[in-house]
Amino acid sequence: RGRTTTPEYVTKLVGPGEYCGYKAIVRGGPLMATAKAIKTSTLWLYPKDIISKAVQNSSPIFKVLLNQAIYDLDTYEVTSQLHYLASVQERIAHQLIMLGDKFGVPTANGISINLKLTRNEFAQLASTINESLSRHLTEFKAEGLIELSGKEIIIKDRDGLMMKSGNAQRAADIA
């Protein structure tokens, strides 16, 4: 369906004394977000070079923790957007892709995901219920996208799962 590729999604509302735009500086890349005032506001702009120098001059452990925090925020924002915009099928496909990418082991049959996750825990990751999870996993199996063997899930067609996740363009970019 591609609903998850919408260019606009509210990730947070920034109030008095809060900061925004800092993730791009920490990452050292371009700012990929926009901001919109929803009421009359005063905005304080800090020079990028001052913030960048402060990050660069910080201790190595602080940099590691800061980068992990930024990664966690990004992951949370993507997950939040996915859970808001995506169908149950798209969320389950996305979780399978994420679990395969993070914990999967390549085998002759595909990417093996053999985690000690209960079906209930997996359903929670996809923000659904066990019945919906089971139904969609069975559909994915019937379509040849995955193979099921107890708790092990083997991803047989990652690109097909990517298409099911509602993000066909990303699947085309990866191929």
Side-chain angles (χ1 to χ4, degrees):
R1 297 185 210 191
R3 293 176 298 160
T4 58
T5 60
T6 181
E8 292 186 18
Y9 180 76
V10 176
T11 56
K12 75 179 197 178
L13 295 176
V14 180
E18 296 180 324
Y19 298 89
C20 64
Y22 57 87
K23 293 189 306 182
I25 294 173
V26 172
R27 271 194 231 104
L31 180 62
M32 302 302 291
T34 58
K36 176 174 125 180
I38 57 174
K39 68 178 236 174
T40 303
S41 304
T42 300
L43 182 66
W44 289 81
L45 299 176
Y46 296 93
K48 180 181 175 182
D49 60 325
I50 291 175
I51 305 299
S52 295
K53 284 179 187 175
V55 171
Q56 289 171 358
N57 294 334
S58 62
S59 73
I61 190 68
F62 179 76
K63 288 181 201 175
V64 169
L65 292 173
L66 187 58
N67 281 309
Q68 181 66 50
I70 297 299
Y71 173 81
D72 291 347
L73 283 170
D74 285 341
T75 301
Y76 176 78
E77 288 173 5
V78 167
T79 301
S80 176
Q81 180 179 12
L82 180 74
H83 288 185
Y84 176 72
L85 297 172
S87 68
V88 172
Q89 177 182 359
E90 290 168 334
R91 294 192 311 261
I92 293 169
H94 176 78
Q95 283 303 320
L96 285 169
I97 291 164
M98 298 304 293
L99 290 171
D101 288 352
K102 195 167 192 172
F103 301 108
V105 176
T107 68
N109 295 329
I111 300 169
S112 172
I113 305 169
N114 197 1
L115 302 173
K116 294 181 179 180
L117 280 176
T118 66
R119 288 286 193 236
N120 187 49
E121 290 167 336
F122 186 15
Q124 289 174 15
L125 286 173
S127 292
T128 190
I129 58 174
N130 290 350
E131 293 80 6
S132 293
L133 174 70
S134 294
R135 181 170 37 88
H136 287 291
L137 289 177
T138 301
E139 288 173 7
F140 292 163
K141 180 180 178 183
E143 294 174 33
L145 300 174
I146 64 170
E147 192 175 295
L148 301 170
S149 178
K151 288 191 180 211
E152 181 183 27
I153 300 171
I154 298 174
I155 298 174
K156 301 189 73 55
D157 181 357
R158 187 183 185 286
D159 289 343
L161 274 178
M162 185 66 80
M163 297 290 278
K164 292 287 185 179
S165 76
N167 200 340
Q169 183 59 46
R170 185 168 169 210
D173 291 344
I174 290 171

